[in-house]
Structure formats: structure tokens, C-alpha cells
Amino acid sequence: YFVKVAWAWTFWLLLPFIAVTTYQFAESKFLYGPTKSILMVLRRLSALLVGTAIWYVCTGLFMYIENLTGMCSTSGKLGEPRRLYATKQECHQDNGIWNGFDISGHCFLLSYCALMIVEEVAVLEGFSIDQNSKLHVVINGLFVSLCFLTMIWVFMFLCTAVYFHDFSQKLLGVLIGLSAWYGTYRFWYLKPFSPGLPLPNIPLSSKKYSYSR
């Protein structure tokens, strides 16, 4: 049940982290005024709306494909006419088992959430703030929470890989998660009309160096 609302956990931890770090960078590094800094924060927070849209569309698509390709197996009495079920929910209401192509939503969502967190926390590579300030404590707390959450997502990803779905369903879920990350952070967010990359816009080569460290 924890992983079923994985996007909610990721969303509500990234929301304050992105807001605080973006505002701090815009004001201290780029010397933006309060109004422009807030507009920059709103632009960066729209990445969470993009992520929400990706989660909603992909999970809806997975359910549609499962309903389209599935059949219901029930333990009906002999002589009773065989009922046709249109959806997995109808099948489960009659205590049936739905057999369809169930793309792993967990593999998709966990891989996408983990990659998004890694992209966003990379902003701390160039972050400098007074270590005795309350803001430093807040950012550190959010950072540790996001790291702990990422560890949970990786652990649950491994559990899903071992115990649930077949190989093709898990592989397709991961590929869709990777495509969602690549299409946003490696393509669309490089464009002017987009939520943009975390401030400062760290080049890919620098990020690879930071990750290796």
C-alpha cells in the first residue's frame, strides 16, 4: 500500500525542496528580485505537475491495456451461463481472477520517482548557505528524507522484480519509466518553454562527475 501512493510521497517531499532551493539560488546566485525569484520557483514546481500528468496517463494506460487483453476466470456453478466481464474490477467483484497483460506500474513509478529525486537533489552540488541558519537545517532535513525515500523505492523495486509480474511486464514498466525521465530531464527541460532543469542548470557532464563522487 505504501508503494501504491509512491507519487504522493515523492510529490510532497520534492515540493518544499524544489521551492526552497530554487528561491535561494535565484536570489543569492543570480541576484533576482523577490518577484522574479517566485516566478522561477513556480516554473520549477511545474515539473511536479508534469510528473503528475505522466503518472496519471501511464497508470490509466496500463489499466486500459490490462482490461483490453484480459479474461476473467471464475468458479461458477455447472450449468450456469458464462458471464462476460468488461473490466478487472467487475471480475474481482465476483471473486474471479483476471488474466491480462499487466504492465508493472510499480516498476514504472519507482524507477521514475527515483530518477526524478536524483535529478532534483543534484542541485546541492553548487549550493552554499550558512550552516548555522534555520534554512540549512530545513534543506538538510528534506535532503535526508529524499535520500531515505529513494532507498525505500529501490528496495521496493527489487521486491517487485523478484516477486511480482513476469519479465516482459517488468521490463516494459521500467522502459516506460526511463523514457519518461529521459523525455523530460534530458530533452524537454532543456528547451526554453519548459519547467527547466534545477538551478543552476548543471551540464550533463558535470552531473556525471557529481554522481561519480
Side-chain angles (χ1 to χ4, degrees):
Y1 287 101
F2 190 81
V3 74
K4 285 183 181 297
V5 290
W7 177 247
W9 291 106
T10 305
F11 182 97
W12 290 113
L13 275 179
L14 279 178
L15 179 66
F17 181 84
I18 293 174
V20 171
T21 55
T22 302
Y23 188 87
Q24 185 66 22
F25 259 117
E27 196 174 44
S28 62
K29 297 287 185 181
F30 300 139
L31 303 179
Y32 291 168
T35 302
K36 195 170 183 180
S37 297
I38 291 173
L39 290 176
M40 181 61 69
V41 169
L42 294 176
R43 180 189 177 188
R44 285 291 304 121
L45 287 178
S46 65
L48 294 176
L49 297 180
V50 173
T52 303
I54 290 173
W55 161 76
Y56 183 81
V57 170
C58 288
T59 52
L61 178 63
F62 296 167
M63 292 176 61
Y64 175 77
I65 292 174
E66 187 179 10
N67 287 331
L68 189 66
T69 59
M71 293 181 60
C72 186
S73 301
T74 59
S75 56
K77 296 180 181 179
L78 293 176
E80 286 186 352
R82 187 177 181 83
R83 179 184 171 187
L84 296 178
Y85 297 86
T87 65
K88 181 178 180 180
Q89 287 71 24
E90 291 179 5
C91 177
H92 285 176
Q93 287 175 359
D94 280 359
N95 298 319
I97 298 175
W98 188 262
N99 299 306
F101 189 75
D102 183 17
I103 300 173
S104 178
H106 289 182
C107 285
F108 150 72
L109 189 57
L110 294 173
S111 58
Y112 179 62
C113 286
L115 287 168
M116 187 173 183
I117 291 173
V118 170
E119 288 285 352
E120 295 296 339
V121 299
V123 72
L124 294 181
E125 176 69 15
F127 202 81
S128 60
I129 193 171
D130 183 8
Q131 295 188 1
N132 296 321
S133 67
K134 293 182 179 179
L135 185 60
H136 183 267
V137 175
V138 170
I139 292 174
N140 274 353
L142 289 170
F143 173 70
V144 171
S145 299
L146 285 167
C147 290
F148 182 68
L149 188 64
T150 304
M151 291 172 60
I152 294 176
W153 292 162
V154 171
F155 173 73
M156 290 189 169
F157 182 90
L158 292 174
C159 291
T160 302
V162 173
Y163 294 109
F164 301 97
H165 300 278
D166 61 32
F167 179 76
S168 60
Q169 295 167 355
K170 290 180 283 195
L171 178 63
L172 190 54
V174 172
L175 290 176
I176 294 173
L178 292 175
S179 299
W181 159 76
Y182 190 88
T184 51
Y185 284 90
R186 290 290 179 266
F187 181 73
W188 182 30
Y189 291 179
L190 300 176
K191 309 296 181 183
F193 298 102
S194 72
L197 292 172
L199 296 180
N201 295 331
I202 305 171
L204 179 59
S205 58
S206 297
K207 279 191 175 182
K208 286 181 177 178
Y209 173 69
S210 299
Y211 298 158
S212 66
R213 291 179 59 193

